[in-house]
């Protein structure tokens, strides 16, 4: 799936994902029914991408749920069931 992005965007996305290892709170917290997620903005040449992820603090993990164009974010992710 990673290869579906243009090459220059792939490099920017990878760099953004790597930044989460150093500071997982770098993204902004989403609101409403998506409040358990955070989002990180990545600017491509023509498209703005979002990396939607969740912090799992008890396991010290960052779980990425979606990477793709900004306009599709809320259609593609679903809040986890409580």
């Amino acid at each position: 799936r990673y290869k579906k992005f243009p090459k220059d965007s792939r490099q920017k996305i990878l760099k953004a994902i790597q930044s989460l290892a150093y500071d997982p709170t770098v993204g902004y917290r989403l609101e409403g029914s998506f409040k358990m997620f955070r989002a990180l903005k990545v600017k491509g040449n023509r498209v703005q991408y979002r990396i939607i992820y969740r912090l799992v603090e008890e396991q010290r993990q960052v779980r990425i749920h979606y990477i793709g164009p900004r306009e599709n974010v809320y259609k593609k992710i679903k809040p986890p069931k409580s």
Side-chain angles (χ1 to χ4, degrees), residues 1-2 4-5 10 12-21 23-24 26-27 30 36-40 42 49-56 59-68 73 76-78 80:
R1 294 189 131 177
Y2 181 67
K4 73 178 181 176
F5 300 111
R10 283 194 307 245
K12 291 177 181 180
I13 290 168
L14 182 59
K15 204 176 230 184
I17 291 170
Q18 290 170 338
S19 75
L20 293 174
D23 183 7
V26 71
L30 297 181
M36 72 286 302
F37 294 112
R38 298 183 81 86
L40 190 57
V42 179
Y49 296 98
R50 293 293 185 270
I51 300 172
I52 305 299
Y53 66 98
R54 189 166 64 115
L55 300 178
V56 184
Q59 296 174 356
R60 299 187 67 173
Q61 291 182 345
V62 173
R63 291 194 183 155
I64 297 175
H65 289 268
Y66 174 77
I67 301 172
V73 168
K76 298 285 183 178
I77 62 171
K78 294 182 173 124

